[in-house]
Amino acid sequence: AQTVTQSQPEMSVQEAETVTLSCTYDTSESNYYLFWYKQPPSRQMILVIRQEAYKQQNATENRFSVNFQKAAKSFSLKISDSQLGDTAMYFCAFMTNFGNEKLTFGTGTRLTIIP
Amino acid sequence: DAGVIQSPRHEVTEMGQEVTLRCKPISGHDYLFWYRQTMMRGLELLIYFNNNVPIDDSGMPEDRFSAKMPNASFSTLKIQPSEPRDSAVYFCASSLRGLNSPLHFGNGTRLTVT
């Protein structure tokens, strides 16, 4: 079974600084997808960024980028030039792409951006 | 702790049938969430409860969907009548103190409506 671990329950950083959220996972699959979701006060889950395991290039979305280390089963999220609106819970998630396309989540990291 | 327990793991039903998904949150958690995952729409919040009371059900797609939480240890999501477009993975999650607390997801129920 797949597992996703976020070892940092809480983090805080000054506005405009860079912060990295950690995520590790365990799987025997070779092809899969990894995601970072943001949860604002509405409790919706907003997709921040997605990485396909077969791609060596790290995904980037504006100020958000990932450091995907497949051999180490690590998938960290880097937020550059952090903004107050980045304050939220962040969830790492994993999904295989062989039939059972079901997400497995970490328990989240609470990120606070300090003015 | 056994974590959030959802049942069944898989459900296949015919269009028009009633479907009931079940969730047992982690003991002591006072928030419970239902999410739906589809490839097209991603992850959507359907409804969430605090202390067994529905707080926000604005994500429930239509009247065919209903959710209840009769006590702190059990919740159901019911679809009646079911339609093929309801096919998705439905997640239940629970947390203590709600927002900004660790959110524990169940393994999900894969629903297929034919």
Side-chain angles (χ1 to χ4, degrees):
Chain A
Q2 290 83 15
T3 59
V4 177
T5 302
Q6 293 179 250
S7 59
Q8 304 154 311
E10 298 187 22
M11 295 189 70
S12 61
V13 65
Q14 293 285 340
E15 188 178 6
E17 291 186 351
T18 295
V19 62
T20 298
L21 309 183
S22 299
C23 173
T24 58
Y25 58 94
D26 188 23
T27 183
S28 58
E29 302 286 345
S30 59
N31 294 317
Y32 47 87
Y33 298 93
L34 294 160
F35 307 83
W36 278 98
Y37 281 91
K38 174 183 178 180
Q39 187 187 46
S42 68
R43 271 71 168 181
Q44 280 291 355
M45 298 286 268
I46 300 169
L47 180 63
V48 174
I49 201 165
R50 156 184 165 145
Q51 173 82 40
E52 289 87 350
Y54 65 86
K55 290 186 177 179
Q56 293 185 341
Q57 186 174 7
N58 288 326
T60 299
E61 287 288 340
N62 300 314
R63 297 183 296 108
F64 298 87
S65 62
V66 298
N67 183 7
F68 174 46
Q69 301 289 329
K70 191 172 184 179
K73 296 181 181 176
S74 171
F75 183 61
S76 59
L77 174 69
K78 185 172 80 170
I79 305 174
S80 304
D81 185 26
S82 58
Q83 301 174 358
L84 296 179
D86 296 333
T87 294
M89 284 289 284
Y90 287 82
F91 294 89
C92 179
F94 170 99
M95 185 175 76
T96 62
N97 63 353
F98 285 134
N100 185 23
E101 295 167 341
K102 184 187 293 186
L103 289 165
T104 301
F105 292 91
T107 54
T109 296
R110 175 185 177 182
L111 176 64
T112 302
I113 308 301
I114 303 167
Chain B
D1 198 318
V4 175
I5 299 173
Q6 291 186 245
S7 63
R9 295 292 298 272
H10 305 275
E11 177 78 39
V12 180
T13 191
E14 292 184 348
M15 182 174 63
Q17 296 298 308
E18 177 180 295
V19 176
T20 299
L21 311 182
R22 298 173 175 79
C23 176
K24 176 178 168 52
I26 291 174
S27 177
H29 282 192
D30 53 356
Y31 281 82
L32 184 141
F33 305 80
W34 282 100
Y35 288 92
R36 179 173 67 177
Q37 176 206 344
T38 62
M39 295 304 289
M40 291 294 293
R41 300 172 69 92
L43 201 58
E44 303 170 280
L45 175 66
L46 300 177
I47 185 172
Y48 77 91
F49 297 83
N50 178 216
N51 291 322
N52 313 337
V53 176
I55 303 301
D56 183 356
D57 65 354
S58 59
M60 296 287 265
E62 38 194 286
D63 291 345
R64 297 184 297 105
F65 285 69
S66 63
K68 294 182 179 180
M69 193 164 186
N71 57 63
S73 60
F74 184 65
S75 177
T76 59
L77 178 67
K78 184 177 295 186
I79 308 172
Q80 167 63 22
S82 59
E83 297 182 2
R85 60 193 170 116
D86 301 330
S87 297
V89 179
Y90 291 81
F91 285 99
C92 175
S94 73
S95 73
L96 186 62
R97 300 190 306 274
L99 189 65
N100 296 330
S101 299
L103 190 60
H104 298 260
F105 283 82
N107 288 325
T109 294
R110 175 172 294 282
L111 173 64
T112 303
V113 183
T114 60

